Amino acid sequence: MMAGSRSGHFHEELVEFLAKQLVNHPEAVEVKETQSDTASILELKVAKEDLGRVIGKQGRTAKSIRTILNAAASRTNRKVVLEIIEEK
C-alpha cells in the first residue's frame, strides 16, 4: 500500500508541475487526489482565466498531460484519471 500512495503523490506533483508551467497564475494551481480500488483520480483546478491554457485548442494540451500521466502511471499498474475542474 505504501508504494501505491507514494506513486500517487508523484502523479499529483507531476500534474501540478506541468500545469504551473502553462498558466499565468501558478499560485492558483491545485491538484487533489482521490483513490478508488482500481484507479487514482486527480482533480486539477486552475484560475478561471487559465482554464483555456491547460485544456488547449480542441483539448490537445489536456490530452498531452493525460498521455504523460498515463506513461508515468503504467509502471504502477494503476489507472490514473485526470479531471480538469471548472470553477463556477
Side-chain angles (χ1 to χ4, degrees), residues 52-65:
R53 291 181 175 279
V54 293
I55 294 173
K57 285 190 174 135
Q58 297 177 340
R60 286 191 188 118
T61 305
K63 187 175 191 287
S64 297
I65 295 170

Side-chain angles (χ1 to χ4, degrees), residues 31-51:
V31 181
K32 192 176 89 182
E33 181 178 18
T34 345
Q35 298 271 348
S36 74
D37 289 342
T38 56
S40 297
I41 300 156
L42 295 173
E43 294 181 350
L44 172 62
K45 290 183 186 174
V46 297
K48 196 175 188 88
E49 57 270 23
D50 286 329
L51 198 57

Side-chain angles (χ1 to χ4, degrees), residues 65-76:
I65 295 170
R66 288 184 176 110
T67 300
I68 293 167
L69 188 57
N70 284 318
S74 68
R75 298 176 2 166
T76 64

Side-chain angles (χ1 to χ4, degrees), residues 2-55:
M2 191 64 159
S5 61
R6 270 204 322 266
S7 63
H9 190 66
F10 168 76
H11 298 137
E12 213 173 319
E13 288 180 9
L14 176 63
V15 170
E16 186 176 334
F17 172 79
L18 291 170
K20 283 183 175 182
Q21 304 310 304
L22 296 167
V23 299
N24 288 331
H25 302 284
E27 71 285 351
V29 171
E30 280 181 47
V31 181
K32 192 176 89 182
E33 181 178 18
T34 345
Q35 298 271 348
S36 74
D37 289 342
T38 56
S40 297
I41 300 156
L42 295 173
E43 294 181 350
L44 172 62
K45 290 183 186 174
V46 297
K48 196 175 188 88
E49 57 270 23
D50 286 329
L51 198 57
R53 291 181 175 279
V54 293
I55 294 173

